[in-house]
Amino acid sequence: MDPFDNLLRGVHADGAAFGRSVLTPPWALRFTDGAPLTLCVPMRGEGWISHPESDKPRLVRVGETATVRGPAPFVFSAEPRSSFEPGELRDVRRGRTGVLDPVGADHTDSLVLLVGVYHVRGRVPQRLLGALPPVLVVPEDQDCAALRDYLDAQLDAGRPGRQVVLDRLLDWLLVCTVRDWFDQPEAEAPGWYRALSDDTVGPVLRAMHDAPGRPWTLASLAAQAGVSRSTLAKRFTTLVGEPPLTYLTDWRMTLAADLLAESTATVAAVARHLGYADAFGFSAAFKRVHGMSPSGHRRLTRVDATAA
């Protein structure tokens, strides 16, 4: 398993019933549910995304897919405007997957917008979200070109299980979109993503993510790539931006944060699972990375979950 697989594993579209809204052009939809990530797929028509962290509105046409990073509200509108009067906006608080079909009275400027909302929880997928811009728009590639036609057909199908099918297709489309964005030169993809294709660093990254709890040393990691320790250290730091063991510690602490929040395992059990011989060393590393003890993190996340 590589880092991209790990970071996307817990990101899934939230299922819901589908609804249609009739609006009079110029329509403007404001998404206010605060979702960490929203996928916008125009099935018919086109629109502009205005986001407070983006320097200008971005056009999204049929054949393109956009992701919008939350939690700030954003607007999907018929016109490329950065500001709107309150009466011009129609709030969308779906908090889930759905189809929005705003059309004018004469149906000449119609839009069918497929929206996938992702309520991302945990530190692992947050590492991926942190690498994305506020708004990104990419055209479909050959791998996913047929997906849009199938999605379009599913919108009108009344077969049982349609919702689950659409959710899974949206997840597939999200993977394609993010991967295609990272492959573009201007994307400023994280170092670990570009390093996955490197003959030296790629195997080491996959080994760390396959078995984060193994007692890795620089020598054993170098053996995964068949190079010397100095060669690995230099190559890894150049491509990823930090030394191998620093990356490993950070990844272990990311996993630890989610294990503490989502399980009842003791701190000592989490420490052993992630390759630490004792809870003391694990706790010191956790506090160095996260700024609090493992027990303090567990208490805080449970309070936040109760408040939500």
PDB file of all heavy atoms in Angstrom, residues 13-30:
ATOM      1  N   ALA A  13     -17.981   9.343   0.105  1.00  0.00           N
ATOM      2  CA  ALA A  13     -19.137  10.215  -0.061  1.00  0.00           C
ATOM      3  C   ALA A  13     -20.232   9.798   0.906  1.00  0.00           C
ATOM      4  O   ALA A  13     -20.419   8.616   1.182  1.00  0.00           O
ATOM      5  CB  ALA A  13     -19.645  10.150  -1.500  1.00  0.00           C
ATOM      6  N   ASP A  14     -20.953  10.799   1.426  1.00  0.00           N
ATOM      7  CA  ASP A  14     -22.075  10.532   2.327  1.00  0.00           C
ATOM      8  C   ASP A  14     -23.348  10.375   1.512  1.00  0.00           C
ATOM      9  O   ASP A  14     -23.727  11.266   0.757  1.00  0.00           O
ATOM     10  CB  ASP A  14     -22.252  11.684   3.325  1.00  0.00           C
ATOM     11  CG  ASP A  14     -21.074  11.783   4.277  1.00  0.00           C
ATOM     12  OD1 ASP A  14     -20.414  10.755   4.493  1.00  0.00           O
ATOM     13  OD2 ASP A  14     -20.822  12.867   4.804  1.00  0.00           O
ATOM     14  N   GLY A  15     -24.037   9.242   1.657  1.00  0.00           N
ATOM     15  CA  GLY A  15     -25.224   8.964   0.865  1.00  0.00           C
ATOM     16  C   GLY A  15     -26.442   9.744   1.325  1.00  0.00           C
ATOM     17  O   GLY A  15     -26.594  10.101   2.470  1.00  0.00           O
ATOM     18  N   ALA A  16     -27.342  10.011   0.389  1.00  0.00           N
ATOM     19  CA  ALA A  16     -28.595  10.711   0.706  1.00  0.00           C
ATOM     20  C   ALA A  16     -29.539  10.579  -0.471  1.00  0.00           C
ATOM     21  O   ALA A  16     -29.170  10.142  -1.547  1.00  0.00           O
ATOM     22  CB  ALA A  16     -28.339  12.184   0.998  1.00  0.00           C
ATOM     23  N   ALA A  17     -30.789  10.997  -0.245  1.00  0.00           N
ATOM     24  CA  ALA A  17     -31.759  11.034  -1.337  1.00  0.00           C
ATOM     25  C   ALA A  17     -31.405  12.181  -2.277  1.00  0.00           C
ATOM     26  O   ALA A  17     -30.687  13.103  -1.925  1.00  0.00           O
ATOM     27  CB  ALA A  17     -33.163  11.223  -0.782  1.00  0.00           C
ATOM     28  N   PHE A  18     -31.942  12.138  -3.470  1.00  0.00           N
ATOM     29  CA  PHE A  18     -31.671  13.162  -4.459  1.00  0.00           C
ATOM     30  C   PHE A  18     -32.826  14.146  -4.524  1.00  0.00           C
ATOM     31  O   PHE A  18     -33.992  13.776  -4.385  1.00  0.00           O
ATOM     32  CB  PHE A  18     -31.441  12.540  -5.842  1.00  0.00           C
ATOM     33  CG  PHE A  18     -30.152  11.809  -5.924  1.00  0.00           C
ATOM     34  CD1 PHE A  18     -30.053  10.500  -5.490  1.00  0.00           C
ATOM     35  CD2 PHE A  18     -29.022  12.436  -6.389  1.00  0.00           C
ATOM     36  CE1 PHE A  18     -28.855   9.819  -5.530  1.00  0.00           C
ATOM     37  CE2 PHE A  18     -27.810  11.769  -6.431  1.00  0.00           C
ATOM     38  CZ  PHE A  18     -27.737  10.459  -6.012  1.00  0.00           C
ATOM     39  N   GLY A  19     -32.497  15.401  -4.726  1.00  0.00           N
ATOM     40  CA  GLY A  19     -33.534  16.431  -4.798  1.00  0.00           C
ATOM     41  C   GLY A  19     -33.281  17.356  -5.962  1.00  0.00           C
ATOM     42  O   GLY A  19     -32.170  17.461  -6.466  1.00  0.00           O
ATOM     43  N   ARG A  20     -34.325  18.043  -6.394  1.00  0.00           N
ATOM     44  CA  ARG A  20     -34.200  18.978  -7.503  1.00  0.00           C
ATOM     45  C   ARG A  20     -34.761  20.324  -7.069  1.00  0.00           C
ATOM     46  O   ARG A  20     -35.786  20.399  -6.409  1.00  0.00           O
ATOM     47  CB  ARG A  20     -34.936  18.470  -8.740  1.00  0.00           C
ATOM     48  CG  ARG A  20     -34.338  17.178  -9.295  1.00  0.00           C
ATOM     49  CD  ARG A  20     -35.044  16.748 -10.579  1.00  0.00           C
ATOM     50  NE  ARG A  20     -34.504  15.489 -11.060  1.00  0.00           N
ATOM     51  CZ  ARG A  20     -33.441  15.400 -11.856  1.00  0.00           C
ATOM     52  NH1 ARG A  20     -32.820  16.473 -12.233  1.00  0.00           N
ATOM     53  NH2 ARG A  20     -33.019  14.221 -12.269  1.00  0.00           N
ATOM     54  N   SER A  21     -34.061  21.394  -7.437  1.00  0.00           N
ATOM     55  CA  SER A  21     -34.477  22.749  -7.094  1.00  0.00           C
ATOM     56  C   SER A  21     -34.650  23.551  -8.373  1.00  0.00           C
ATOM     57  O   SER A  21     -33.815  23.479  -9.271  1.00  0.00           O
ATOM     58  CB  SER A  21     -33.424  23.434  -6.217  1.00  0.00           C
ATOM     59  OG  SER A  21     -33.205  22.702  -5.043  1.00  0.00           O
ATOM     60  N   VAL A  22     -35.724  24.306  -8.465  1.00  0.00           N
ATOM     61  CA  VAL A  22     -35.972  25.155  -9.625  1.00  0.00           C
ATOM     62  C   VAL A  22     -35.642  26.596  -9.256  1.00  0.00           C
ATOM     63  O   VAL A  22     -36.234  27.149  -8.323  1.00  0.00           O
ATOM     64  CB  VAL A  22     -37.438  25.051 -10.096  1.00  0.00           C
ATOM     65  CG1 VAL A  22     -37.679  25.979 -11.282  1.00  0.00           C
ATOM     66  CG2 VAL A  22     -37.760  23.614 -10.463  1.00  0.00           C
ATOM     67  N   LEU A  23     -34.678  27.172  -9.937  1.00  0.00           N
ATOM     68  CA  LEU A  23     -34.223  28.526  -9.662  1.00  0.00           C
ATOM     69  C   LEU A  23     -34.336  29.378 -10.922  1.00  0.00           C
ATOM     70  O   LEU A  23     -34.302  28.870 -12.038  1.00  0.00           O
ATOM     71  CB  LEU A  23     -32.768  28.519  -9.186  1.00  0.00           C
ATOM     72  CG  LEU A  23     -32.452  27.631  -7.980  1.00  0.00           C
ATOM     73  CD1 LEU A  23     -30.970  27.695  -7.673  1.00  0.00           C
ATOM     74  CD2 LEU A  23     -33.259  28.056  -6.780  1.00  0.00           C
ATOM     75  N   THR A  24     -34.434  30.672 -10.730  1.00  0.00           N
ATOM     76  CA  THR A  24     -34.512  31.597 -11.851  1.00  0.00           C
ATOM     77  C   THR A  24     -33.137  32.202 -12.108  1.00  0.00           C
ATOM     78  O   THR A  24     -32.528  32.756 -11.193  1.00  0.00           O
ATOM     79  CB  THR A  24     -35.514  32.727 -11.544  1.00  0.00           C
ATOM     80  OG1 THR A  24     -36.781  32.158 -11.281  1.00  0.00           O
ATOM     81  CG2 THR A  24     -35.612  33.684 -12.726  1.00  0.00           C
ATOM     82  N   PRO A  25     -32.600  32.098 -13.328  1.00  0.00           N
ATOM     83  CA  PRO A  25     -31.298  32.691 -13.613  1.00  0.00           C
ATOM     84  C   PRO A  25     -31.330  34.204 -13.372  1.00  0.00           C
ATOM     85  O   PRO A  25     -32.365  34.827 -13.585  1.00  0.00           O
ATOM     86  CB  PRO A  25     -31.086  32.378 -15.104  1.00  0.00           C
ATOM     87  CG  PRO A  25     -31.998  31.232 -15.399  1.00  0.00           C
ATOM     88  CD  PRO A  25     -33.171  31.428 -14.494  1.00  0.00           C
ATOM     89  N   PRO A  26     -30.224  34.789 -12.936  1.00  0.00           N
ATOM     90  CA  PRO A  26     -28.957  34.097 -12.677  1.00  0.00           C
ATOM     91  C   PRO A  26     -28.958  33.393 -11.321  1.00  0.00           C
ATOM     92  O   PRO A  26     -29.088  34.039 -10.296  1.00  0.00           O
ATOM     93  CB  PRO A  26     -27.939  35.240 -12.681  1.00  0.00           C
ATOM     94  CG  PRO A  26     -28.716  36.429 -12.231  1.00  0.00           C
ATOM     95  CD  PRO A  26     -30.123  36.249 -12.772  1.00  0.00           C
ATOM     96  N   TRP A  27     -28.870  32.061 -11.347  1.00  0.00           N
ATOM     97  CA  TRP A  27     -28.921  31.292 -10.125  1.00  0.00           C
ATOM     98  C   TRP A  27     -27.580  31.366  -9.397  1.00  0.00           C
ATOM     99  O   TRP A  27     -26.525  31.574  -9.993  1.00  0.00           O
ATOM    100  CB  TRP A  27     -29.296  29.838 -10.410  1.00  0.00           C
ATOM    101  CG  TRP A  27     -28.538  29.205 -11.535  1.00  0.00           C
ATOM    102  CD1 TRP A  27     -28.942  29.063 -12.827  1.00  0.00           C
ATOM    103  CD2 TRP A  27     -27.223  28.634 -11.477  1.00  0.00           C
ATOM    104  NE1 TRP A  27     -27.972  28.438 -13.580  1.00  0.00           N
ATOM    105  CE2 TRP A  27     -26.909  28.164 -12.773  1.00  0.00           C
ATOM    106  CE3 TRP A  27     -26.288  28.478 -10.474  1.00  0.00           C
ATOM    107  CZ2 TRP A  27     -25.696  27.563 -13.073  1.00  0.00           C
ATOM    108  CZ3 TRP A  27     -25.083  27.869 -10.754  1.00  0.00           C
ATOM    109  CH2 TRP A  27     -24.804  27.417 -12.059  1.00  0.00           C
ATOM    110  N   ALA A  28     -27.625  31.190  -8.082  1.00  0.00           N
ATOM    111  CA  ALA A  28     -26.413  31.186  -7.260  1.00  0.00           C
ATOM    112  C   ALA A  28     -26.673  30.302  -6.046  1.00  0.00           C
ATOM    113  O   ALA A  28     -27.576  30.569  -5.256  1.00  0.00           O
ATOM    114  CB  ALA A  28     -26.035  32.591  -6.828  1.00  0.00           C
ATOM    115  N   LEU A  29     -25.915  29.247  -5.921  1.00  0.00           N
ATOM    116  CA  LEU A  29     -26.068  28.296  -4.824  1.00  0.00           C
ATOM    117  C   LEU A  29     -24.909  28.465  -3.850  1.00  0.00           C
ATOM    118  O   LEU A  29     -23.743  28.412  -4.246  1.00  0.00           O
ATOM    119  CB  LEU A  29     -26.069  26.863  -5.363  1.00  0.00           C
ATOM    120  CG  LEU A  29     -27.141  26.532  -6.408  1.00  0.00           C
ATOM    121  CD1 LEU A  29     -26.852  25.167  -7.025  1.00  0.00           C
ATOM    122  CD2 LEU A  29     -28.509  26.547  -5.769  1.00  0.00           C
ATOM    123  N   ARG A  30     -25.230  28.657  -2.574  1.00  0.00           N
ATOM    124  CA  ARG A  30     -24.193  28.800  -1.551  1.00  0.00           C
ATOM    125  C   ARG A  30     -24.179  27.547  -0.676  1.00  0.00           C
ATOM    126  O   ARG A  30     -25.178  27.198  -0.069  1.00  0.00           O
ATOM    127  CB  ARG A  30     -24.446  30.032  -0.696  1.00  0.00           C
ATOM    128  CG  ARG A  30     -23.383  30.219   0.404  1.00  0.00           C
ATOM    129  CD  ARG A  30     -23.542  31.551   1.097  1.00  0.00           C
ATOM    130  NE  ARG A  30     -24.862  31.687   1.692  1.00  0.00           N
ATOM    131  CZ  ARG A  30     -25.312  32.818   2.244  1.00  0.00           C
ATOM    132  NH1 ARG A  30     -24.556  33.899   2.219  1.00  0.00           N
ATOM    133  NH2 ARG A  30     -26.525  32.859   2.765  1.00  0.00           N
TER     134      ARG A  30
END
